Amino acid sequence: MAGRWKNDLKWSDVTPKPLWQNRRQILTGVGAAAFAGLAGPGRALAELAASPSAFSTDAAPNTLEEITTYNNYYEFGTGKDDPSRNAGKMDTDGWEVRIDGLVDRPGTWTMDDILKDTALEDRIYRLRCVEAWSMIVPWVGFELSDLLAKVGVQSGAKYVAFETALLPDVMPGVHARVLDWPYVEGLRLDEAMNPLTILAVGLYDQPIPNQNGAPIRLVVPWKYGFKSIKSIVRITLTADQPPTSWNQAAANEYGFYANVNPEVSHPRWSQATERRIGSGLFAKRQPTEMFNGYGAEVAGLYSGMDLARNF
Ligand code: MTE
């Protein structure tokens, strides 16, 4: 599938798996020098794929199996394994993303347009769901700010709104009114411009699977997972705070900000600890970190704000 995007090569072709698996050792070991020192075609090909990032955690990623079979994607059903069973029917060929609102160059972008001249990076991020489970996910993507720079954000823009595809023929979940479809999300513009905020198009060294939000989804690692909207078809720059699906469904439970915060409980459960998927039935829960451990990068965005009120 990725072949259409770049040079007729799939990511699985350009990044031999053993090399990918070595990369973390390479990075945490002698760093870039060792990476550059790799011999032969593997080196050039690896650089073609995605480069490593200083924003990655060195915690061990969850397995591909865990990441692709334990999902929240309510359009495909509310069970954790519903998305992996049902999302295969979604056709992402010819996917288009409309970018509009307060931008200089509104328009409709194909995945080729979006990925042209875009440097892909590996971003190994912690993911903390509002339901108090967590994973480590090795995304492949690029900074949202790169795309926003290409469309030209106008000075009146203060927020970015996102919308997921609504495909009733292949999405069994949208026939139930669990949420008001389509799924929508939003960020303040400065949150959207933060270098941690990415649009992911890959997972491990493959195009992102449908159940994880193919072909392009948001990842905002310091916020609860529901902010990280999947299968995006529209991005709109707005002056006013846009509506967001979970906030509309239950405003007392899900705020607009949704920053990971161990001190602010969900009305029905504590957010102080989390269960790491794959850690085993009897594993101890681990403490949840403020901003999911990304406070050094993002706490400044909220200085002076009461995060218990703006939850
Ligand atoms: N995006 C859409 N369109 N629909 C959803 O149901 N679920 C959210 C988020 N994005 C969701 C969504 C929630 S609650 C979480 S925790 C993450 O996706 C889960 O991402 P993952 O399945 O890739 O781990």
Side-chain angles (χ1 to χ4, degrees):
M1 186 177 75
R4 295 190 317 282
W5 301 346
K6 253 190 177 175
N7 305 338
D8 269 348
L9 285 171
K10 288 193 196 132
W11 291 338
S12 46
D13 295 330
V14 299
T15 310
K17 200 146 214 144
L19 180 57
W20 193 94
Q21 284 162 341
N22 282 338
R23 189 177 295 163
R24 264 186 65 243
Q25 282 153 260
I26 292 162
L27 284 175
T28 51
V30 231
F35 191 64
L38 284 169
R43 178 192 159 204
L45 293 172
E47 285 170 352
L48 219 191
S51 28
S53 164
F55 289 119
S56 288
T57 169
D58 50 19
N62 279 86
T63 65
L64 185 62
E65 167 85 9
E66 287 159 353
I67 297 168
T68 57
T69 57
Y70 190 92
N71 298 102
N72 279 335
Y73 196 163
Y74 276 20
E75 287 88 333
F76 292 103
T78 53
K80 291 289 181 268
D81 60 348
D82 286 339
S84 55
R85 288 192 293 108
N86 296 331
K89 292 207 184 80
M90 178 168 67
D91 182 6
T92 59
D93 282 356
W95 197 267
E96 290 179 339
V97 182
R98 168 107 197 126
I99 308 181
D100 58 9
L102 300 172
V103 295
D104 294 333
R105 290 171 289 282
T108 299
W109 295 56
T110 64
M111 289 304 295
D112 277 327
D113 297 333
I114 290 173
L115 293 174
K116 189 168 177 280
D117 303 324
T118 298
L120 295 178
E121 287 184 27
D122 289 318
R123 294 279 180 111
I124 307 171
Y125 278 167
R126 294 178 288 276
L127 169 75
R128 170 61 158 82
C129 179
V130 74
E131 297 164 339
W133 54 264
S134 64
M135 291 198 203
I136 308 286
V137 186
W139 304 110
V140 178
F142 60 92
E143 294 179 12
L144 173 60
S145 66
D146 290 349
L147 182 60
L148 294 181
K150 289 182 187 168
V151 294
V153 176
Q154 295 183 347
S155 60
K158 299 284 179 283
Y159 295 89
V160 188
F162 304 87
E163 187 180 311
T164 293
L166 178 53
L167 306 166
D169 290 348
V170 294
M171 292 175 161
V174 303
H175 301 287
R177 294 204 44 113
V178 190
L179 291 170
D180 212 358
W181 313 106
Y183 195 103
V184 289
E185 258 305 335
L187 296 172
R188 227 170 50 193
L189 184 60
D190 57 350
E191 298 176 321
M193 299 300 283
N194 187 277
L196 283 176
T197 303
I198 59 165
L199 288 170
V201 294
L203 177 56
Y204 275 100
D205 54 357
Q206 305 286 330
I208 197 163
N210 284 1
Q211 61 266 39
N212 293 90
I216 184 163
R217 61 90 58 89
L218 185 69
V219 182
V220 195
W222 72 94
K223 292 178 179 283
Y224 291 120
F226 70 84
K227 298 295 290 184
S228 293
I229 183 173
K230 296 179 170 182
S231 306
I232 295 168
V233 291
R234 189 170 182 187
I235 301 176
T236 308
L237 279 286
T238 65
D240 300 318
Q241 184 177 302
T244 57
S245 286
W246 281 105
N247 178 251
Q248 284 189 306
N252 60 322
E253 301 191 356
Y254 310 102
F256 174 80
Y257 284 94
N259 293 313
V260 174
N261 188 340
E263 284 158 28
V264 176
S265 298
H266 186 280
R268 292 181 278 132
W269 59 86
S270 164
Q271 295 291 24
T273 63
E274 63 200 53
R275 177 175 62 95
R276 177 62 51 79
I277 299 302
S279 62
L281 259 178
F282 303 104
K284 242 181 92 155
R285 296 174 69 87
Q286 53 190 76
T288 288
E289 290 183 73
M290 187 66 202
F291 298 116
N292 203 21
Y294 296 98
E297 290 85 2
V298 302
L301 294 171
Y302 310 102
S303 57
M305 276 177 68
D306 178 349
L307 295 178
R309 265 171 62 98
N310 298 287
F311 64 92

